[in-house]
DNA sequence: GTTTGATTCAAACAGTCGATTGAAACAGCT
DNA sequence: AGCTGTTTCAATCGACTGTTTGAATCAAAC
């Protein structure tokens, strides 16, 4: 099982100016969005002259598109799709998948800029989005759908599986996209104790397994919501 | 049961210049975000001179905060919290709540600017967010938690209920916040048939009821995922 | 050393933006 | 009508932005 090998540091400064600009731009766009990120800031961070953007990329828009492309391509390269030994039960696979997704979205302080930039693009799609979907998102989606198909024992149609998959993704996505609001809604001590990737993964997985009849309902008929049994 | 009385038109042009600016600003901010929305465009749309923003609001930032405040206050005024007769089963209440949330987020062409602006604020919180949460979001959240508490028969703790509520909200939220990407992932005919508010409400509700042991699992033990039985 | 294309640079450009200003116009009151 | 506060206006300001420009510098090849 290959999961989340090693996250590269936020932004190593490449030698090549073009790469340096891409990296700096990725960070700025991830942090501030397209409109608020400025060429001057990007060039300062990349230690290049402002004309370099025109020279290497043509214009700001092109630079943005290339940054998004660079982000998902490097993610695909560095972080392969999760794979499991054939003996690993589907329950476990689902848990791992969800855990991995939550770690990526919420993990350790702050996700790398590539992930943050992709999230922005998902929320406000540009022409860069289609390729991001095909190159990065769809393969992950297919893995999740396959796991759910196993869990459902072939009893759900593809459309049904896709909707269940989207339900799972939606649950994880909320904490990332609206995390500040969640933080205002829920008591702080509860955020600290229960809103960590592992704990949320537990909940999201258990919710799914219960809904699919692969675990007892959340309300009982077993050890309760916090039980580790289903994934042990 | 009071649900979604009548949605006001997108933007009636008020008489009072201050109201006209607020309304125009709300639309612009909702459509383009804070950075890309300009005072000049707002003033043109409101048929006022550009100095009016300084006169009535002080600066752009203040105008934004007031727009968000105006949005949630008018929503609270116009669209009261859902209420049900005490004889209405919790299953039905949950379905209605989810349906209502999805209609608001995805409904008929395009939600009113107030909803769109609030969504933006949720995704990129400013100092306006806390009041939005307290005035608008929290009351709705409390309704949902209460419904879930009924469904769970008092067997889940408050933290557990809140997590289930967030799971439901996350599912609805995804279609709004990342609808374009969902549209790229899922076949077009499936989007058309199954990704309407009523159909999605059905799915989200059924998923929750199954997870809570208040309906058969999605995989069977009854009529299947598309059944209307649980809400009939 | 010369040539050629690539790369980098400082300065400049044109446009846009939020904010300001002093005056004009308006509205209400005496 | 005069006074006073409110509202609106056109012009302007200063800062910022993406983009361009012509020249200087660099690097590789001969």
């Amino acid at each position: 099982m290959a999961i989340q090998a090693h996250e590269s540091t936020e932004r190593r400064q490449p030698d090549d100016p073009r790469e340096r600009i891409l990296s700096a731009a990725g960070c700025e766009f991830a942090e501030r969005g397209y409109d608020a990120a400025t060429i001057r800031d990007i060039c300062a961070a990349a230690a290049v002259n402002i004309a370099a953007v025109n020279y290497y990329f043509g214009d700001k828009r092109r630079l943005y598109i290339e940054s998004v492309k660079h982000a998902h391509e490097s993610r695909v390269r560095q972080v392969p799709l999760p794979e499991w030994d054939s003996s690993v039960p589907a329950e476990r696979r689902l848990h791992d998948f969800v855990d991995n997704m939550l770690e990526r979205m919420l993990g350790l302080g702050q996700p790398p800029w590539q992930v943050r930039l992709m999230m922005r693009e998902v929320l406000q799609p540009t022409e860069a989005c289609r390729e991001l979907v095909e190159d990065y998102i769809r393969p992950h989606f297919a893995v999740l759908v396959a796991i759910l198909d196993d869990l459902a024992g072939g009893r759900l149609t593809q459309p049904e599986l896709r909707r269940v998959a989207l339900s799972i993704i939606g649950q994880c996505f909320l904490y990332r996209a609206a995390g500040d609001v969640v933080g205002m809604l829920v008591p702080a001590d509860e955020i600290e104790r229960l809103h960590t990737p592992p704990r949320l993964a537990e909940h999201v997985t258990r919710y799914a397994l219960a809904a699919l009849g692969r675990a007892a309902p959340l309300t009982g008929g077993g050890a309760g919501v916090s039980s580790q049994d289903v994934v042990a």
Side-chain angles (χ1 to χ4, degrees), chain A residues 18-232:
Chain A
R18 191 179 188 280
E19 291 299 314
R20 289 209 311 276
I21 299 171
L22 265 182
S23 189
C27 284
E28 282 295 301
F29 289 136
E31 190 58 44
R32 304 166 66 186
Y34 181 80
D35 287 321
T38 68
I39 302 284
R40 281 168 171 85
D41 284 344
I42 289 164
C43 291
V48 296
N49 181 277
I50 206 163
V53 168
N54 174 270
Y55 184 75
Y56 288 105
F57 300 97
D59 61 13
K60 185 182 182 181
R61 192 73 179 174
R62 192 78 239 149
L63 174 59
Y64 177 77
I65 305 300
E66 291 290 326
S67 300
V68 174
K69 188 174 162 78
H70 184 257
H72 62 80
E73 284 176 346
S74 72
R75 288 303 288 183
V76 169
R77 227 183 297 123
Q78 291 175 34
V79 188
L81 283 183
E83 289 178 336
W84 293 271
D85 197 65
S86 62
S87 63
V88 177
E91 283 90 343
R92 178 85 205 210
R93 278 182 272 147
L94 179 62
H95 178 269
D96 289 347
F97 187 91
V98 172
D99 191 42
N100 181 244
M101 182 164 38
L102 284 163
E103 280 291 348
R104 255 187 316 189
M105 288 184 177
L106 305 174
L108 299 176
Q110 190 172 31
W113 68 261
Q114 290 89 347
V115 173
R116 280 184 281 128
L117 182 58
M118 289 192 285
M119 284 297 307
R120 268 195 187 267
E121 181 59 23
V122 164
L123 292 172
Q124 282 177 295
T126 64
E127 63 262 41
C129 198
R130 196 161 285 277
E131 206 174 324
L132 166 60
V133 168
E134 296 308 321
D135 190 39
Y136 186 78
I137 293 173
R138 190 183 295 281
H140 281 86
F141 189 67
V143 170
L144 178 57
V145 169
I147 294 170
L148 292 172
D149 202 11
D150 275 0
L151 285 171
R155 268 168 296 176
L156 296 183
T157 64
Q158 284 295 309
E160 284 162 340
L161 289 170
R162 280 192 279 267
R163 259 181 306 174
V164 175
L166 289 171
S167 283
I168 288 166
I169 291 165
Q171 290 172 58
C172 302
F173 183 74
L174 181 75
Y175 294 99
R176 173 68 210 174
D180 291 332
V181 168
V182 173
M184 291 177 206
L185 265 184
V186 173
D189 68 295
E190 195 173 310
I191 296 281
E192 209 175 297
R193 275 190 302 118
L194 300 177
H195 285 220
T196 61
R199 298 307 299 272
L200 290 174
E202 213 175 281
H203 166 72
V204 172
T205 304
R206 180 65 198 278
Y207 194 70
L209 293 178
L212 292 171
R214 294 298 294 251
L218 302 195
T219 46
V225 145
S226 305
S227 173
Q228 295 291 318
D229 294 342
V230 293
V231 294

